[in-house]
Amino acid sequence: MRRSWFKRSGICLLLACTFIINGCEVVQDPKLLMSVPKLPEEQANLMSIINAQLPEGAEKVRPNNSSDGSAVRMADLDGDGKAEAIVFYEVPDSEVRLHGMILKSDGKEWTKVADFEGGGVSLDYVETVDLTRDNRLDLLVGYGSQDQDSLNKGMVVYSFVNNRIEKIFEQPYSQIVINDLDGDSKKELYIVSQHKGKPPVLSQYQYIDQKLTKTAEIQMDVQVNLVYNMVSGLISKDKRGLVLDTVTGSNYYMSVALLCEDGQFYEAFPKEKTIRSQSYPSTDVNNDGIIEFVKNETPQGWDIFREYEIPYFLDYYQWDGKEKLTLVQKQYRDYADRFHFAIPTSWYGRVSIDTKSDRDEYLRFIDYQTNETLAEVKFFSVENWERYKNKWTYLAAYGDEVIGILSKEQLKLNDGSLKLPELEHEGEQQEKKSTK
């Protein structure tokens, strides 16, 4: 009998909140980006000042795009060589829900020098980057819309000069990236905006004549309903561009690779080559600095099954800069993203999954030409795992189960596996039984 993963409780990951914050990776001059004060007394002083400045009932908030546990971002916004502290906070019952504050230090104490009203009901995106090309960092903030039916959020670009925060640009967006794709050592802003009943629009903005100016634009084809992911960088060994992962038609997805030259966007290669039935994002899967395009592959023998039952392989392709897409990695990725691993190249052209497999209990990877077992994935209770852990390799933990793998070849397994749940003491187990 199948056991639905929806019924399992997830593992709570306790992440230690570090106070040392690194800034945006797109800033090349280290003088433009500063770290949080490292001395404990400086940290304590800053946090006490921040907390004292918060209105009653207010709470500090982190943006959705934050990868760390701190609500404090440090960056040199005014170009004086000293980092300012940037904090956003929420006042739930206020007419203006989101606010931001900026604090400066004289070397001894921190002082709030600016407070500004935000927009929307949630903090989606915060970044610091020199868009205005004046060797000072600008503050980019994305606010979630108050209109729940809206397809877009709101992007605001702020400049901080003479202890004053100034709004210099506003634009609706659903996806955003910042990069130097034309090689002039200056950043461009790329924004996708969605429009009801119309295909999405991609726009490029550059700072020209003292303002952020739209310098290129393209509307997606009529079959594109939504852009759900956008990345930028090298899309071949020698070409820089954008990759937009899109929802196309009904239940189909494809990636659109775009180059931009002389104010014009154009497709790098036919997007039809990337059509797939699953919404996986394009990414640099093999860490070679080049973005790969992903397609899902139905294992041999699974064609007769319903789509939601199929344990797909993921094939990551790299563009050669001309006409060819080359397979650089094949993966099995669990449908609930509980684990994944790379398929050895020696299995290419012969690996499949036994059709008797159950994605929530047991998977047998086979050579479909000989029916030889290549690998097995099995879900164990925590107690049973203790019996088998010396034979099986730990793959992941999920809810009250441990997922193990047994393979003839050494596999490149997923990074950052969930923590193995601790075994209950015998007394705790007995207590639970007695209360049932």
Side-chain angles (χ1 to χ4, degrees):
M1 184 176 181
R2 292 182 182 270
R3 294 172 292 166
S4 172
W5 70 276
F6 293 104
K7 295 181 180 179
R8 299 191 182 96
S9 58
I11 295 178
C12 296
L13 299 179
L14 301 177
L15 301 178
C17 294
T18 177
F19 197 69
I20 298 177
I21 308 301
N22 289 325
C24 175
E25 54 87 19
V26 296
V27 180
Q28 297 179 358
D29 185 349
K31 293 181 180 179
L32 295 180
L33 191 62
M34 313 295 288
S35 63
V36 166
K38 294 180 173 61
L39 297 178
E41 57 268 25
E42 289 183 274
Q43 295 181 12
N45 176 251
L46 175 55
M47 290 308 298
S48 65
I49 296 298
I50 290 172
N51 291 333
Q53 293 294 332
L54 291 176
E56 184 177 355
E59 293 185 359
K60 298 185 291 292
V61 293
R62 293 184 297 113
N64 295 332
N65 75 318
S66 175
S67 59
D68 56 66
S70 176
V72 181
R73 181 179 291 260
M74 305 299 297
D76 181 10
L77 295 176
D78 57 8
D80 65 354
K82 300 177 182 178
E84 284 77 44
I86 307 161
V87 183
F88 287 88
Y89 61 93
E90 180 181 36
V91 186
D93 298 326
S94 173
E95 183 177 341
V96 179
R97 187 167 181 172
L98 289 174
H99 298 255
M101 72 169 76
I102 297 176
L103 302 94
K104 289 182 70 72
S105 174
D106 61 3
K108 296 181 180 180
E109 291 189 346
W110 289 87
T111 304
K112 185 178 76 170
V113 295
D115 197 294
F116 57 98
E117 294 182 348
V121 296
S122 62
L123 190 62
D124 180 68
Y125 181 95
V126 175
E127 200 62 273
T128 52
V129 61
D130 182 12
L131 277 179
T132 53
R133 304 178 177 184
D134 59 358
N135 293 322
R136 289 199 303 257
L137 294 174
D138 304 296
L139 178 62
L140 284 69
V141 185
Y143 299 104
S145 175
Q146 299 184 39
D147 181 4
Q148 295 183 355
D149 296 326
S150 176
L151 298 174
N152 294 309
K153 293 156 281 193
M155 168 59 60
V156 179
V157 180
Y158 300 96
S159 179
F160 181 70
V161 181
N162 296 326
N163 290 348
R164 297 185 62 182
I165 194 84
E166 178 184 358
K167 188 185 299 183
I168 62 173
F169 179 78
E170 291 184 82
Q171 179 68 27
Y173 79 100
S174 65
Q175 300 288 334
I176 180 172
V177 297
I178 305 160
N179 211 325
D180 172 24
L181 297 183
D182 58 13
D184 65 354
S185 300
K186 299 174 182 178
K187 304 297 180 183
E188 305 97 44
L189 175 64
Y190 296 90
I191 287 178
V192 171
S193 55
Q194 311 281 163
H195 305 272
K196 289 183 179 179
K198 296 181 181 179
V201 174
L202 169 67
S203 303
Q204 179 198 67
Y205 292 88
Q206 300 186 66
Y207 196 73
I208 300 174
D209 296 331
Q210 304 301 308
K211 63 179 180 179
L212 278 167
T213 304
K214 187 186 297 182
T215 48
E217 187 169 88
I218 187 173
Q219 186 176 61
M220 301 291 99
D221 290 347
V222 292
Q223 69 264 37
V224 175
N225 301 326
L226 178 74
V227 176
Y228 65 87
N229 178 61
M230 179 168 65
V231 289
S232 64
L234 284 171
I235 59 176
S236 72
K237 291 182 178 179
D238 58 357
K239 288 183 171 62
R240 300 179 67 83
L242 299 159
V243 180
L244 285 69
D245 295 317
T246 71
V247 180
T248 304
S250 58
N251 301 322
Y252 282 94
Y253 308 85
M254 68 181 179
S255 300
V256 182
L258 295 172
L259 302 172
C260 188
E261 293 182 3
D262 301 323
Q264 296 290 325
F265 287 109
Y266 65 93
E267 289 187 17
F269 58 86
K271 54 185 173 293
E272 288 76 18
K273 291 186 177 183
T274 68
I275 290 177
R276 54 193 180 272
S277 62
Q278 300 289 314
S279 60
Y280 295 105
S282 299
T283 187
D284 177 15
V285 72
N286 58 351
N287 298 315
D288 65 350
I290 303 172
I291 300 167
E292 281 81 39
F293 310 89
V294 61
K295 295 183 69 174
N296 56 300
E297 173 193 341
T298 301
Q300 181 87 3
W302 286 84
D303 306 74
I304 62 174
F305 287 78
R306 288 167 291 192
E307 185 174 325
Y308 66 85
E309 295 177 307
I310 300 173
Y312 288 105
F313 292 127
L314 297 187
D315 295 338
Y316 288 86
Y317 291 90
Q318 191 174 107
W319 181 45
D320 69 352
K322 297 177 182 179
E323 298 180 355
K324 187 179 179 182
L325 290 175
T326 302
L327 178 66
V328 298
Q329 188 176 117
K330 183 189 291 288
Q331 283 187 5
Y332 178 77
R333 183 174 290 270
D334 175 62
Y335 75 101
D337 211 20
R338 294 170 289 196
F339 64 90
H340 68 273
F341 59 89
I343 301 294
T345 55
S346 61
W347 295 2
Y348 288 12
R350 64 189 181 104
V351 65
S352 186
I353 299 173
D354 187 354
T355 55
K356 298 184 181 66
S357 298
D358 185 323
R359 297 183 302 174
D360 290 317
E361 293 185 0
Y362 174 77
L363 290 159
R364 187 169 78 97
F365 294 79
I366 62 170
D367 181 334
Y368 63 79
Q369 299 171 349
T370 64
N371 202 37
E372 172 193 3
T373 299
L374 301 174
E376 299 170 87
V377 172
K378 190 172 182 179
F379 290 67
F380 296 88
S381 68
V382 177
E383 292 80 5
N384 282 338
W385 174 250
E386 288 298 306
R387 295 167 52 196
Y388 290 96
K389 67 180 182 180
N390 292 329
K391 180 180 179 181
W392 291 69
T393 298
Y394 170 76
L395 185 58
Y398 192 82
D400 57 357
E401 291 186 315
V402 179
I403 306 171
I405 187 167
L406 190 65
S407 174
K408 288 193 170 183
E409 291 191 34
Q410 186 173 357
L411 302 178
K412 182 181 178 181
L413 306 178
N414 50 281
D415 298 323
S417 299
L418 299 179
K419 183 181 178 182
L420 180 65
E422 294 181 5
L423 284 170
E424 295 175 339
H425 295 297
E426 183 177 349
E428 293 174 340
Q429 295 177 359
Q430 294 296 330
E431 183 179 349
K432 282 189 175 183
K433 291 178 181 179
S434 64
T435 57
K436 290 183 178 180

